[in-house]
Amino acid sequence: MTDHVRTDLTDGVLTVTLARPEKKNAITQAMYAALAEATRRARDDAAVRVILFRGEGDSFSAGNDIADFIAIGGAGEGQLTDAPVFHFLKALADLDKPAVAAVRGRAVGIGLTLLLHCDMVVVAEDALLSAPFVNLALAPEAASSMLLPHVLGHQRAFEIFALGEPIDGRTALAWGLANRAAPADQVDALAADVAARLASRAPNSIRKTKVLMRDAERLWTLMQAEGEAFGSQMRSPEAMEAFMAFSQKRAPNFG
Ligand code: COA
């Protein structure tokens, strides 16, 4: 149980709020477990028509909690797909109802790759989206090694992964990562409006539409393959150096 993920079901929209603003909504193991449960509920509960992800405070999410990376990396071998993050990824792959995201501020790592599983994305014009897996000596996850180049093309996706620099919300819109860009203070209302409109559509029709547009099995197979690269990197000396550098607020030295 965690207070850092809140859910609210109103008029068919299950709003899932990342609520750890003092840590820029960095996601802990307990939060992944709560996200997995909410996402499974979205699929299984007939009262849910749409799931809407948003963040409390000034950021959508700073991605995986780096202290957790240090703890898991230091713990040695273990089946990565047993970890709560994989329960969340599996639930995302299996989700057959519309997902919407409202993105303000930072969206880092899984904060960005989660958007690739959302069917409609509303970003703040000044949001900053990044996937600095290589900066942390990690590897892409959440099927982003396929989905990001699919949306952006190889070169843009490679730059996002390898240089780790953020793109802003306007660029995300121009590059096809988002459906709408708006001033930050309008993002939640705009995303709620999008979610409400999706919730009013014929539920079976919209589910079948989504299922036809995605290959859930292929996504899950890729997520597991990525998990092997990610897991072995996470336990590597170069990743430990990157995590320690972050926690010590210094630049990493990869020698
Ligand atoms: N894991 C754990 N703690 C995190 C975190 C993360 N991913 N991201 C931010 N935090 C913490 C910071 O350590 C800081 O904690 P403190 O107040 O106890 O020192 C707090 O959240 C605020 O972050 P701060 O870095 O001061 O805010 P900022 O506005 O200067 O920068 C970010 C925001 C998101 C750009 C920056 O925090 C960052 O780069 N975070 C790491 C992102 C990342 O690499 N995630 C993993 C992707 S795979």
Side-chain angles (χ1 to χ4, degrees):
M1 283 295 286
T2 174
D3 296 335
H4 291 145
V5 175
R6 284 198 315 266
T7 57
D8 168 75
L9 177 61
T10 303
D11 297 335
V13 178
L14 183 67
T15 300
V16 179
T17 300
L18 297 166
R20 198 186 176 210
E22 70 285 2
K23 296 287 183 188
K24 308 282 172 190
N25 297 325
I27 305 176
T28 60
Q29 298 299 297
M31 291 166 73
Y32 282 123
L35 288 169
E37 190 183 318
T39 307
R40 282 193 299 261
R41 176 182 172 195
R43 182 189 162 105
D44 297 338
D45 183 345
V48 179
R49 297 285 184 90
V50 175
I51 187 168
L52 166 62
F53 294 100
R54 63 179 296 279
E56 191 173 291
D58 65 11
S59 282
F60 182 64
S61 175
N64 202 106
D65 186 279
I66 291 179
D68 272 9
F69 274 154
I70 294 172
I72 296 167
E77 294 304 310
Q79 185 53 265
L80 203 68
T81 49
D82 290 340
V85 59
F86 275 89
H87 299 168
F88 178 44
L89 295 181
K90 177 84 170 82
L92 279 178
D94 289 344
L95 183 64
D96 60 357
K97 292 181 188 168
V100 176
V103 181
R104 292 173 298 100
R106 292 280 181 170
V108 188
I110 198 162
L112 186 161
T113 59
L114 165 60
L115 307 182
L116 299 166
H117 297 275
C118 292
D119 305 291
M120 293 191 70
V121 176
V122 179
V123 287
E125 289 160 347
D126 62 356
L128 289 173
L129 287 66
S130 58
F133 297 118
V134 173
N135 289 356
L136 286 169
L138 293 169
E141 36 72 320
S144 63
S145 60
M146 177 182 75
L147 296 174
L148 198 65
H150 183 73
V151 176
L152 304 186
H154 176 84
Q155 282 78 7
R156 284 170 173 167
F158 187 85
E159 180 170 349
I160 285 178
F161 287 140
L163 294 187
E165 288 157 7
I167 58 167
D168 66 17
R170 287 187 183 88
T171 307
L173 178 68
W175 288 4
L177 250 182
N179 300 75
R180 314 261 192 282
D185 62 359
Q186 295 172 25
V187 164
D188 276 321
L190 196 52
D193 175 65
V194 166
R197 287 196 287 141
L198 292 173
S200 74
R201 297 308 197 257
N204 292 326
S205 165
I206 210 163
R207 286 179 96 161
K208 283 179 183 160
T209 299
K210 178 162 176 166
V211 167
L212 287 166
M213 290 174 71
R214 301 161 73 248
D215 185 341
E217 231 166 88
R218 183 167 174 217
L219 292 174
W220 176 234
T221 302
L222 179 58
M223 286 168 174
Q224 292 172 90
E226 289 172 339
E228 286 181 24
F230 195 98
S232 64
Q233 275 305 116
M234 198 170 67
R235 298 185 179 96
S236 69
E238 58 184 25
M240 200 48 80
E241 163 59 13
F243 304 155
M244 295 316 291
F246 176 76
S247 54
Q248 294 162 4
K249 301 189 191 292
R250 61 171 173 83
N253 177 358
F254 296 120

